[in-house]
Amino acid sequence: MKSVTVKDLVDRFSLEVLVGESHMHRTIPKPRAYRPGLEFVGYFDFFSHAHVQVLGRKEINYLHTLSEEERNHRIGNIVKYHPPCFVVTRNQEGLKYLLKYCEEEGIPLLRTHEPTFRFLELVDAYLAKALAPQIAVHGVCVNVSGIGILLRGKSGVGKSETAHTLIRRGHRLVADDIVVLKKIGPETILGTHDGKTRELLALRSIGLINVSRLYGRKAFQDETRIVLDIELTKWQEHALNNELELEPKYTEYMDIRIPHIEIQLQPGRDVAGLVEAAANNWYLRQQGYSAAEDFMKRLEKG
């Protein structure tokens, strides 16, 4: 799991540092930001102190209504838990009391012009991805008509060449060689690159190509939700399935099952076209349509 520091948050969202410039190394261990509310009135049983603490208008206005003594008491009770940082939204001012306590405790106090609800959406999405459990697998990740696919197979089987054909047909590359899979939900796997190979595709006999430079910006995207796991294998006689509807198979990544399909390779076989067909067929299944069921109904009608 990647660690995220307060400096990462500052750089990502162009936050203003009011206090704590020397404490930017503090880590943020938990995804999702937190708005302390009950904590300001003394209830700490479920205080999420390991989260980024966001102070919006409601929190700041409430603090303004308190006497100086009461305000110091309320804030002192929270800062003693040493959360990673505080972020004040909407460029709110009048924060001398926050500056004092954050400086004393070495807690960064940051400020953004964003409205509270908007900043919460942005920081939650960022932290969910950045702190998500992840693994790296050998393969190629592509987005075919909006459908995320992980192409796997032994080295030299033709994964990158298949991806190249798909790109030329208007689909998008996400990652080549090393695909980073992130678990961002109980049923959601996100596929992305490792940064080093961003936009790059390795083709045997050709070398590295930059798909964005060669085919335009639409040939690449940073990430995609993985919904199909396709394995490219060498051709085996008498091993093809000709059933009307195949028994579902799955590959498991971080306890999440992804539908699995095997495509055998043979000279002259349109593998990229088969990948497109698999993606479109998956989409139709999500809409409740099965070609096999449709065919059987036609037979029954005579």
Side-chain angles (χ1 to χ4, degrees), residues 244 288-302:
L244 293 179
Y289 175 80
S290 167
E293 290 178 7
D294 189 6
F295 177 66
M296 294 305 295
K297 288 177 181 178
R298 296 182 188 184
L299 289 179
E300 289 174 4
K301 289 180 180 180

Side-chain angles (χ1 to χ4, degrees), residues 5 10 41 62 71 88-89 104 112 115 117 133 135 170 174 220 224 241 273 277 287-288 290 296:
T5 65
V10 169
V41 296
Y62 170 73
R71 186 165 55 227
V88 177
T89 60
E104 288 178 356
T112 177
F117 76 92
I135 59 173
V174 176
F220 173 81
T224 188
N241 295 294
Q287 306 305 307
S290 167
M296 294 305 295

Side-chain angles (χ1 to χ4, degrees), residues 35-228:
R35 294 182 71 176
L38 290 174
E39 290 74 20
F40 279 130
V41 296
Y43 187 77
F44 288 89
D45 285 4
F46 301 99
F47 182 34
S48 301
H49 57 85
H51 297 249
V52 172
Q53 305 295 308
V54 177
L55 304 177
R57 277 181 177 174
K58 288 191 293 185
E59 292 80 16
I60 297 299
N61 287 342
Y62 170 73
L63 291 173
H64 286 336
T65 66
L66 303 176
S67 66
E68 182 177 354
E69 181 181 356
E70 184 67 18
R71 186 165 55 227
N72 290 340
H73 176 67
R74 301 294 187 195
I75 295 171
N77 282 341
I78 290 181
V79 297
K80 71 181 181 182
Y81 285 91
H82 287 87
C85 64
F86 289 95
V87 181
V88 177
T89 60
R90 292 182 177 273
N91 279 339
Q92 296 179 91
E93 299 181 346
L95 308 173
K96 289 183 180 179
Y97 47 88
L98 277 173
L99 292 168
K100 173 179 176 292
Y101 275 93
C102 287
E103 190 167 22
E104 288 178 356
E105 297 293 334
I107 302 171
L109 177 60
L110 316 171
R111 185 161 60 185
T112 177
H113 67 278
E114 294 282 359
T116 308
F117 76 92
R118 176 61 177 159
F119 181 73
L120 286 170
E121 288 180 354
L122 293 172
V123 76
D124 283 354
Y126 167 67
L127 291 177
K129 293 178 183 177
L131 296 175
Q134 66 180 50
I135 59 173
V137 299
H138 176 66
V140 178
C141 183
V142 289
N143 183 282
V144 177
S145 300
I147 297 168
I149 297 175
L150 178 63
L151 291 175
R152 296 186 299 109
K154 293 182 179 180
S155 181
V157 77
K159 300 182 297 295
S160 298
E161 289 79 4
T162 300
H164 179 251
T165 303
L166 289 167
I167 292 167
R168 292 188 61 196
R169 293 183 180 182
H171 306 296
R172 297 177 177 181
L173 174 72
V174 176
D176 181 41
D177 191 32
I178 298 299
V179 181
V180 178
L181 301 181
K182 296 187 175 185
K183 182 180 180 179
I184 62 171
E187 297 181 357
T188 304
I189 293 284
L190 200 68
T192 186
H193 52 81
D194 64 358
K196 300 174 184 177
T197 59
R198 187 178 189 274
E199 301 177 326
L200 300 178
L201 183 68
L203 299 174
R204 290 177 182 269
S205 304
I206 303 296
L208 282 176
I209 65 169
N210 186 308
V211 297
S212 295
R213 296 288 185 96
L214 207 58
Y215 298 111
R217 289 179 297 174
K218 290 184 178 180
F220 173 81
Q221 68 181 60
D222 270 308
E223 58 190 30
T224 188
R225 180 188 175 190
I226 302 294
V227 299
L228 272 180

